[in-house]
Amino acid sequence: MSAISVHDLTRRFGDFVAVDRLTFEVREGEIFGFLGSNGAGKSTAIRMMCGLLKPSGGTATVGGIDVGRDPEGVKRRIGYMSQRFSLYERLTVDQNIRFFAGIYGLRRDRLETRRRFVLEMSGLQSREHVRAADLAGGWRQRLGLGCAILHEPPIVFLDEPTGGVDPVSRREFWRLIDGLSARGVTVLVTTHYLDEAEHCHRVAIIHGGRLAALGTTAELKRAFHGRTIIEVHAGRPVDAMRLLDDMPDVEKTSVFGTAVHAVVSMKPGEAARTIRERLEGGGVAVTRLGPVEPSLEDVFLDVAERATQ
Amino acid sequence: MSGMRRVAVLVWKELIELKEDRDLFGIVILAPILQLFMLGYAATTDVRDVPVVVADADRSVASRALVARFNASPNFTIVDVVTSPNELDPYLERGRAWIALAIPPGYGEALGRGTPQALQVIADGSDANSTNVAIGYATNLIAGYAQELGARMPAGSVTPGIEPRVRVWFNSRLDSRDFMIPGVLALLLLVITTNLSSMGIVREKEVGTLEQLNVTPLRRWELIVGKLLPYALVGMVDVCLVLAVAVLWFQVPLRGSVTLLFALTLVYLMSTLGLGLFVSTISSTQQQAMMTTIFFFLMPMIYLSGFIFPIENMPAVIQPLTYLLPLRYYLVILRSIFLKGVGLETLWPDALALAAWGIAILSLAVARSTKREA
């Protein structure tokens, strides 16, 4: 059975369609990534699945319960954490845990077990009496996650949980998400960090409120089959790009750091040879050039571009 | 059962937040006492040492006795005694005197015969409030003097003729402090509980904790009760504080039942907290909530409830509007319990109106706050 099943989910704000007929399934224990630029409709979709926002159309079934019919039933079975880790800043770490435990109706033994679990999980054992306001970003975020899963929900929604957090803390946080998944918890997480998508079992790319692509990262990269990405390191990248854009076999070019990526509808060997000839013929010195595996960023840009067209 | 537990957890959390907020603590505990002292001392409408000029055309024992009586009163100071009423004008024009008293010739003689006598009192009306009070004092003083003369007359003779026309009830000391302090209590409760509750809810909206709470099994009514109850508690603490200072320090008489006062205060708090909840549903930032409360609710209430300006003096078109204000009813209740010592048998219409107001605004606010979820 699917943990989450979404069918034609739609949300309109006046004339604006924020989420447009979204359809997908999330398996139990899966880490499911929602990828998309800001304003793509990721948060709106998540808020509907959590029962915070009424859908304009379509259905979302979470943990076997129809959100539209019984939002309160869904709320008992999920954990939710948004980009603003919502803790009470004037309360201490311990008080925050006790507060949310009380709201979730945890008592005595279970409260103590879960309290210790959250403290350990967030690495805050020795800082129980520090006010939440005085915690650094990474700690607050881990405590936020801990408070959201105090009641051991089988499904967890994380809306851009790693926004504004340093890379080390992000890595640490993803370790926690992997741990949840290993214990059978289903995690739906939105992000616009593409490196984070590599942690997800499957990824849905959302663009303009629509599902633009769905699959494992390997599957998404394979969508590039039949085409090649040639990475070019050249002395004058701007000139190189102009020359490449003029070539009929080059679909598009984009800048990747100091290099230029060209998507070419040719076999790798042939593509590399053709491009080298063209660039050197145009007077651009090529330092290094060769086919590369498409990164998720290539895929994302490609999908976004095609969805726009 | 589990609902009550969740409410208790919310109240516990709210009280910790209140305690941890130093500024708020000052507002809740220090501000009421400060306000009370400010209004209790500075803002009384009592007047002392009103400068009086007397034109004594009589120059008899009786007229001199009257002047001496004015001079002995703490409310008046005689600045000068002249002989002709024509000489009075410059004193009033230059502001050297606020009140001029003209004693006609033959005053003492007439008094002795028991003939009614008219005294002319001229007052500077440019500060109407103080002058009104001063005239009240003057009338009282003259009447008191007349009574005394009457008591001194041999039995069977005609009573002398300065008729006491004005009598002051309930606040015979005419001490405006006794009247102001219950009003301050009503106003403080309104300002503190309405502002704190609306800002407390909007703050959770701003920070995002409200959304976090919305994805928990917490029900709507639990959230509302859990958010409002702590501020009702704060309100009751303030009532105790203000009552203690009013009775022990300012010695304002508390003639009625304290139990009734607390019970009706709870009814009043339904209005102020309901108003706070309502404001929170129409505001998205704390500043907005505060400004909305002050300009759309507090200021009209201060002006129109009878807190400062007597309702009877308002234009006839405005007077019906005052029935829309909960503060009006609570002011009547408070002042009546304090000064008249009356009970529910007299106050029930006001208590009923107050309860109706509270239930109406609470229902409206709750309806609005649930709809916003969709």
Side-chain angles (χ1 to χ4, degrees):
Chain A
M1 201 188 82
S2 303
I4 303 170
S5 168
V6 171
H7 192 75
D8 275 347
L9 193 65
T10 303
R11 174 71 201 203
R12 280 182 288 272
F13 294 104
D15 286 338
F16 174 67
V17 185
V19 173
D20 192 2
R21 286 163 293 154
L22 218 52
T23 301
F24 63 88
E25 309 257 323
V26 181
R27 293 189 277 269
E28 266 175 34
E30 190 173 24
I31 302 178
F32 190 87
F34 248 35
L35 218 59
S37 39
N38 291 331
K42 301 178 305 243
S43 292
T44 309
I46 277 212
R47 289 166 56 80
M48 283 193 281
M49 288 183 257
C50 291
L52 279 173
L53 197 67
K54 268 210 179 86
S56 312
T59 55
T61 310
V62 176
I65 295 172
D66 185 342
V67 180
R69 289 223 191 92
D70 183 13
E72 297 309 311
V74 167
K75 288 176 187 175
R76 277 193 289 275
R77 287 168 177 78
I78 60 165
Y80 169 84
M81 180 189 161
S82 74
Q83 44 207 348
R84 309 185 286 178
F85 333 119
S86 308
L87 297 165
Y88 289 93
E89 303 220 321
R90 289 185 203 141
L91 265 57
T92 64
V93 170
D94 186 56
Q95 285 166 340
N96 265 292
I97 296 175
R98 284 179 192 280
F99 172 73
F100 283 105
I103 294 297
Y104 283 117
L106 268 54
R107 304 247 191 99
R108 295 179 204 95
D109 293 355
R110 184 145 179 252
L111 165 73
E112 199 39 46
T113 319
R114 293 302 289 165
R115 193 181 75 88
R116 254 184 276 127
F117 168 81
V118 169
L119 285 174
E120 194 187 325
M121 182 197 98
S122 52
L124 287 166
Q125 289 107 319
S126 54
R127 318 182 69 176
E128 290 164 63
H129 301 295
V130 175
R131 295 209 314 177
D134 301 330
L135 290 177
W139 267 300
R140 279 166 67 161
Q141 172 208 42
R142 290 197 288 275
L143 179 60
L145 178 65
C147 288
I149 60 166
L150 270 167
H151 56 309
E152 298 177 87
I155 301 166
V156 176
F157 291 92
L158 305 172
D159 192 3
E160 290 190 16
T162 54
V165 171
D166 66 88
V168 177
S169 297
R170 266 171 61 194
R171 188 176 298 265
E172 186 74 4
F173 192 77
W174 275 94
R175 210 177 47 76
L176 294 178
I177 295 179
D178 289 336
L180 283 176
S181 165
R183 263 172 283 146
V185 176
T186 308
V187 180
L188 193 151
V189 55
T190 73
T191 180
H192 52 234
Y193 293 118
L194 292 155
D195 59 315
E196 291 188 343
E198 305 277 2
H199 286 268
C200 301
H201 297 129
R202 284 194 302 152
V203 171
I205 296 179
I206 311 289
H207 190 81
R210 295 208 183 120
L211 186 66
L214 174 67
T216 64
T217 51
E219 281 167 355
L220 291 177
K221 288 172 186 170
R222 237 175 280 142
F224 261 81
H225 260 331
R227 296 182 293 165
T228 305
I229 296 177
I230 301 290
E231 188 173 80
V232 179
H233 290 269
R236 302 201 307 273
V238 180
D239 291 339
M241 229 170 132
R242 209 179 39 236
L243 286 169
L244 289 167
D245 281 333
D246 288 341
M247 288 174 69
D249 290 323
V250 172
E251 276 181 29
K252 61 166 186 171
T253 53
S254 42
V255 178
F256 269 71
T258 57
V260 175
H261 278 194
V263 180
V264 195
S265 52
M266 280 189 264
K267 289 264 161 357
E270 191 191 353
R273 206 173 41 247
T274 320
I275 285 179
R276 183 179 287 276
E277 280 166 11
R278 179 75 182 107
L279 288 180
E280 283 173 349
V284 172
V286 176
T287 346
R288 191 150 45 83
L289 173 151
V292 290
E293 270 283 291
S295 69
L296 206 55
E297 196 165 344
D298 289 311
V299 175
F300 181 76
L301 291 173
D302 185 51
V303 166
E305 195 162 292
R306 268 190 279 172
T308 312
Q309 278 165 7
Chain B
M1 207 40 225
S2 63
M4 291 316 289
R5 198 175 290 268
R6 281 194 289 264
V7 170
V9 170
L10 273 169
V11 173
W12 168 76
K13 183 269 297 174
E14 202 71 30
L15 291 178
I16 294 180
E17 284 197 291
L18 266 173
K19 196 189 76 182
E20 290 297 318
D21 191 334
R22 291 261 161 72
D23 302 340
L24 223 51
F25 191 75
I27 291 170
V28 170
I29 304 294
L30 296 181
I33 296 179
L34 212 69
Q35 283 276 316
L36 206 57
F37 275 93
M38 248 162 54
L39 281 152
Y41 279 118
T44 66
T45 50
D46 294 350
V47 280
R48 312 223 168 266
D49 295 325
V50 173
V52 180
V53 60
V54 183
D56 186 0
D58 189 38
R59 300 258 169 203
S60 65
V61 179
S63 73
R64 265 183 230 118
L66 184 63
V67 173
R69 192 165 270 263
F70 263 89
N71 220 1
S73 157
N75 301 116
F76 300 103
T77 313
I78 302 289
V79 288
D80 212 346
V81 178
V82 295
T83 42
S84 154
N86 301 334
E87 295 168 66
L88 291 173
D89 292 6
Y91 286 92
L92 288 172
E93 278 161 13
R94 289 192 202 122
R96 284 189 57 204
W98 290 6
I99 284 187
L101 180 70
I103 304 173
Y107 165 82
E109 201 186 321
L111 216 57
R113 282 199 312 269
T115 320
Q117 270 302 306
L119 283 179
Q120 196 186 6
V121 177
I122 309 160
D124 173 0
S126 53
D127 180 354
N129 277 338
S130 311
T131 306
N132 264 331
V133 176
I135 290 177
Y137 291 148
T139 317
N140 258 9
L141 191 139
I142 295 168
Y145 178 55
Q147 248 175 346
E148 234 173 83
L149 282 180
R152 258 193 263 137
M153 296 294 282
S157 68
V158 197
T159 33
I162 329 170
E163 292 270 327
R165 264 178 238 115
V166 185
R167 278 177 70 195
V168 185
W169 282 13
F170 307 128
N171 189 0
S172 49
R173 291 197 277 156
L174 253 187
D175 193 338
S176 63
R177 193 183 283 156
D178 292 357
F179 180 73
M180 282 300 271
I181 282 176
V184 174
L185 174 58
L187 196 64
L188 273 173
L189 276 180
L190 179 67
V191 173
I192 289 180
T193 57
T194 304
N195 259 327
L196 284 189
S197 59
S198 68
M199 288 170 72
I201 298 169
V202 174
R203 187 180 64 233
E204 294 223 24
K205 231 194 266 187
E206 279 182 324
V207 184
T209 43
L210 193 62
E211 186 171 273
Q212 193 68 48
L213 292 180
N214 279 339
V215 284
T216 67
L218 192 66
R219 270 167 296 201
R220 205 69 210 170
W221 73 265
E222 296 163 0
L223 179 62
I224 290 170
V225 174
K227 282 302 284 189
L228 296 187
L229 211 56
Y231 297 108
L233 250 153
V234 168
M236 290 319 260
V237 169
D238 278 341
V239 174
C240 296
L241 263 175
V242 172
L243 276 186
V245 176
V247 174
L248 300 177
W249 183 267
F250 287 112
Q251 312 209 311
V252 176
L254 177 49
R255 300 196 173 102
S257 148
V258 180
T259 320
L260 182 67
L261 192 148
F262 273 101
L264 293 180
T265 298
L266 277 176
V267 177
Y268 175 60
L269 285 176
M270 288 198 333
S271 306
T272 61
L273 293 172
L275 200 58
L277 181 63
F278 176 76
V279 169
S280 79
T281 65
I282 55 173
S283 319
S284 42
T285 64
Q286 290 187 70
Q287 278 105 319
Q288 211 184 332
M290 197 168 77
M291 288 299 155
T292 309
T293 308
I294 292 176
F295 287 108
F296 288 96
F297 298 104
L298 293 187
M299 301 225 317
M301 283 208 214
I302 292 172
Y303 295 139
L304 296 179
S305 65
F307 173 64
I308 304 176
F309 311 116
I311 293 172
E312 302 77 52
N313 293 0
M314 291 175 192
V317 256
I318 301 287
Q319 285 194 24
L321 285 179
T322 63
Y323 289 101
L324 295 173
L325 308 175
L327 185 57
R328 177 206 158 107
Y329 301 107
Y330 187 59
L331 275 176
V332 170
I333 289 172
L334 271 185
R335 285 170 177 165
S336 303
I337 293 180
F338 262 99
L339 301 177
K340 295 186 196 172
V342 295
L344 209 52
E345 70 284 345
T346 322
L347 292 175
W348 66 267
D350 295 285
L352 215 59
L354 201 57
W357 212 94
I359 290 166
I361 188 75
L362 266 177
S363 315
L364 178 68
V366 169
R368 272 194 62 88
S369 69
T370 5
K371 241 194 261 163
R372 288 175 54 86
E373 254 187 299

